[in-house]
Amino acid sequence: MKVTYEVEKAARELISASCDTMDQEDFGAYLALCAPEYQYAIRVYSPEIRRDMTWLEKDYEHMKTLLDLLPKQNRDRNPIKRHISVREVTSVNGKDEVTVRSDLQVYRVLLDGGEAQIFGVGKYTDRIDMSGDEPKLLEREVRLDSRSLGAGYHIPF
């Protein structure tokens, strides 16, 4: 697949929509952006053990279960806002797919005064199916640089 202006625009819009729906905690809308074979992971490198750690790894069904249970969790209720900068959109050889690499900054806005704090920094690597009428997320790997997120926050990045 050739990465045309339209393909890149559709991929960027999908990535933005995925962040917006999670920021609004509209988990049904987020899942509607995902293909049934969706895979999600959060990983971070640990210099202490000199290897990657996987903090979360879910397929579509397990992600749905996680998101369905979130309203029942005792968790940090301060809202977060994801800010992404798409760096590159590349084609996957022989498939109607693209890979999108983005920089990610996550801000937490404290409810008791509105102070904004940097909550997390990292990168998204997304694989997107472009074959249908609407693009769908096939895979998202969140690669965090931040390793101290505090307690009580359960919503995936």
Side-chain angles (χ1 to χ4, degrees), residues 44-53 55 143-147:
V44 63
Y45 179 77
S46 170
E48 293 85 4
I49 62 174
R50 294 186 300 272
R51 59 180 52 137
D52 281 341
M53 297 184 294
W55 284 1
R143 173 74 55 178
L144 289 177
D145 297 321
S146 305
R147 293 189 302 142

Side-chain angles (χ1 to χ4, degrees), residues 57-67:
E57 194 167 48
K58 301 284 182 192
D59 62 14
Y60 182 92
E61 287 303 317
H62 289 102
M63 185 66 120
K64 182 178 182 337
T65 300
L66 172 74
L67 295 175

